[in-house]
Amino acid sequence: MAVNSCDRPAGEAVFAAVDLGATSGRVMTGRVGPGTLVLTEAHRFANEPVRLPDGLHWDVLALYQGMLEGLRAAGRSGPLTSVGIDTWAVDYGLLDADGALLGVPFHYRDGRGNGMAQRLPEGCGAAELYAVSGLQHLPFNTVFQLLAHRVTAQWEAARTVLLMPDLLVHWLTGSVGAEITNASTTGLFDARAGGWSDALIGRLGLARSLFPPLREPGDPAGTLLAHVAAATGLPAGTPVTTVASHDTASAVVAVPATEPDFAYVSCGTWSLAGLELDAPVLSEESRAANFTNERGVDGTVRYLRNIMGMWLLEECRRAWDREGPATDLAGLLSGAAAAEPFTAVIDPDDEAFLAPDDMPSRINAYLLRTGQKPPGTRGGYVRCVLESLALAHRRTLRQAAELAGREPTRIHLVGGGSRNELLCQWTADASGLPVTAGPAEATALGNILLQARAHGLVGGLAGVRRLVARTQELRHYAPRGVARDWDRAEARLTGKSPARKGNT
């Protein structure tokens, strides 16, 4: 329900969060005050990639238009105190000397970064890169995309690299900057020093001038340009506040943790599973396990690994919908609950699952390649996907705890996946740890709360999380005594019996 400014209690304010995910975008408003945190969806729109002759791209103009329409809708609730933007990581746009966009930003699933790690100059091998950036090796990391882009005509005209949220902030305000949580995902960020690595950028043959000054969450990013204000109906001079512009970083802000030793899974298109640390873990063991050290809020480190998440299920649904009629998620989940357990398991991070299209056939090929029988029903496929994700959550969090010397006592599962009761319960069962599920809109909440903090309405990170815990709907899942079944499934997947830990 819209809240007019005259109806708003003293000490409350409304903020707009532009939250762009890999498959959809939304603009949410958040009313924040002492003990108050009310989230309302103003506008939601699709995020569909476009395949052009040179590869797979984001439809960035459609995203920009959807953002403007969403801000217009958000403004109808009354005056907005500020606007913040978060998106996915690694992708970027190139600007020329006039600040104009060169070409259409590539999609990380395009594949042009494949093989670039083998073409790095001397002194920039995997170990050297990790020692500086602490970044998980993924073929679509920004550093590899930039090296692929460097052989194009666009590169000759490029003067600035802006990651996706920074590009949209630039279009809203005219300002140029690089928000630190997203900058830390590029592979060009010094995880220890907390800034661009001039030495690494130079060794890779990239111009340091391409990378703009860093911004911290809470920094002012500018105000709406006159034509943006006219397009959205918002007042000229409406502030844009820097938030944790990597969507996972914003989601971790809104983890409703009241205990210090917690693990988290931010589950949407991807599952980002890990720990919040005070310092990066840059050991050779960490690199070999492919963990990433990304910057969080207030100097924290998001020590995590990317896991292919609900993308697997959504791509299955997309394939089935093409066969017609449209699939019903509730029916698929009911079929999964009724299907026989552990008939087939997959490694969600197998490279065969990265590209879009016909996920059931890709799963079939994986299962046949590993000596397993494909499921006979759609419910069986869904069970295979969800059990495999729960195993990946367990495996990743156990490794993170061992490498970081931590022992989490609870898993907080946030994001859209927190609505999936089967996944939440099976994550608890597999890990042997209690799972608190929610909030589902953690990214938008984190975005809004960082704006509210910058404007003096909430306190530190602990206070932010207490407010989320008090005001948002959460569900709790206790592990059931079936750990040995998960052990056997893990052994079948990895070829070795995993070590038993604690009560798991």
Side-chain angles (χ1 to χ4, degrees):
M1 182 178 67
V3 178
N4 294 323
S5 58
C6 59
D7 299 327
R8 210 172 285 154
E12 290 189 353
V14 173
F15 303 88
V18 178
D19 176 21
L20 303 184
T23 58
S24 67
R26 65 216 67 115
V27 177
M28 312 286 284
T29 61
R31 180 163 56 90
V32 184
T36 300
L37 177 56
V38 179
L39 192 67
T40 304
E41 182 178 303
H43 182 56
R44 186 176 290 261
F45 48 96
N47 183 5
E48 295 286 347
V50 179
R51 188 166 292 282
L52 299 176
D54 63 338
L56 191 65
H57 296 264
W58 297 103
D59 191 352
V60 67
L61 296 183
L63 293 176
Y64 178 67
Q65 185 61 36
M67 177 176 69
L68 296 181
E69 292 171 2
L71 290 176
R72 175 175 286 277
R76 297 192 188 110
S77 65
L80 298 177
T81 301
S82 80
V83 175
I85 299 176
D86 68 77
T87 79
W88 62 95
V90 307
D91 292 332
Y92 61 89
L94 297 178
L95 303 186
D96 67 12
D98 296 323
L101 181 65
L102 292 164
V104 185
F106 279 91
H107 193 296
Y108 61 81
R109 295 189 192 274
D110 171 68
R112 66 201 175 108
N114 295 342
M116 293 307 300
Q118 287 72 50
R119 297 164 60 183
L120 293 169
E122 187 176 352
C124 292
E128 290 86 356
L129 287 178
Y130 195 84
V132 175
S133 70
L135 197 67
Q136 175 184 4
H137 174 79
L138 293 167
F140 50 73
N141 286 344
T142 312
V143 59
F144 301 132
Q145 292 198 54
L146 288 172
L147 294 175
H149 215 153
R150 193 169 54 174
V151 300
T152 68
Q154 288 177 358
W155 188 261
E156 297 302 315
R159 296 296 179 269
T160 307
V161 173
L162 289 182
L163 294 166
M164 292 300 290
D166 301 321
L167 175 63
L168 296 172
V169 167
H170 172 63
W171 283 350
L172 289 186
T173 67
S175 68
V176 172
E179 190 278 318
I180 196 166
T181 67
N182 226 319
S184 72
T185 72
T186 60
L188 301 169
F189 186 88
D190 189 319
R192 286 193 180 92
W196 294 119
S197 174
D198 294 353
L200 184 55
I201 289 170
R203 289 204 302 271
L204 290 167
L206 303 172
R208 175 61 180 85
S209 58
L210 288 167
F211 303 97
L214 292 166
R215 291 171 171 158
E216 292 275 359
D219 288 349
T223 58
L224 296 185
L225 295 168
H227 73 274
V228 175
T232 59
L234 298 176
T238 298
V240 177
T241 301
T242 304
V243 299
S245 70
H246 184 192
D247 50 10
T248 306
S250 272
V252 172
V253 168
V255 167
T258 56
E259 62 284 296
D261 292 318
F262 67 91
Y264 59 81
V265 179
S266 178
C267 184
T269 300
W270 292 86
S271 275
L272 295 307
L275 309 171
E276 185 174 76
L277 304 178
D278 295 326
V281 180
L282 302 176
S283 64
E284 176 58 23
E285 293 80 7
S286 180
R287 183 188 73 81
N290 212 20
F291 274 84
T292 203
N293 295 268
E294 296 172 2
R295 185 54 63 108
V297 171
D298 296 347
T300 58
V301 172
R302 290 177 289 120
Y303 186 61
L304 59 87
R305 191 161 62 204
N306 287 39
I307 303 165
M308 212 84 70
M310 301 306 286
W311 160 261
L312 297 165
L313 178 54
E314 289 308 310
E315 282 297 289
C316 283
R317 291 185 67 194
R318 202 184 320 274
W320 293 329
D321 287 348
R322 284 195 295 267
E323 299 172 3
T327 56
D328 171 61
L329 180 58
L332 289 174
L333 294 175
S334 177
E340 185 178 350
F342 306 116
T343 59
V345 289
I346 61 174
D347 176 1
D349 294 324
D350 191 281
E351 62 182 13
F353 303 133
L354 180 60
D357 295 331
D358 202 0
M359 190 60 70
S361 292
R362 292 167 187 256
I363 292 173
N364 284 350
Y366 176 97
L367 294 174
L368 293 172
R369 172 163 52 90
T370 55
Q372 301 180 74
K373 183 179 179 181
T377 64
R378 291 180 176 179
Y381 280 96
V382 175
R383 182 150 196 149
C384 169
V385 165
L386 296 182
E387 286 179 339
S388 299
L389 283 177
L391 279 172
H393 294 164
R394 152 187 159 137
R395 187 164 55 249
T396 301
L397 293 176
R398 286 185 174 182
Q399 283 186 294
E402 182 177 352
L403 291 165
R406 296 277 291 274
E407 195 66 42
T409 57
R410 178 175 297 275
I411 299 171
H412 286 272
L413 199 154
V414 302
S418 67
R419 297 188 178 102
N420 190 312
E421 295 185 9
L422 291 179
L423 179 61
C424 295
Q425 183 62 63
W426 290 344
T427 296
D429 293 344
S431 67
L433 292 173
V435 169
T436 294
E441 295 288 358
T443 300
L445 286 169
N447 179 322
I448 284 163
L449 286 165
L450 286 171
Q451 294 182 67
R453 189 173 80 160
H455 289 81
L457 292 178
V458 293
L461 196 53
V464 164
R465 288 172 172 160
R466 284 194 297 270
L467 180 60
V468 175
R470 287 199 307 268
T471 60
Q472 303 304 300
E473 181 181 354
L474 307 175
R475 293 185 178 183
H476 303 280
Y477 298 84
R480 300 173 298 191
V482 291
R484 292 192 182 279
D485 294 335
W486 292 94
D487 286 347
R488 285 191 287 268
E490 177 79 4
R492 199 163 87 230
L493 185 65
T494 63
K496 59 182 180 180
S497 180
R500 303 295 298 275
K501 294 188 69 175
N503 64 351
T504 64

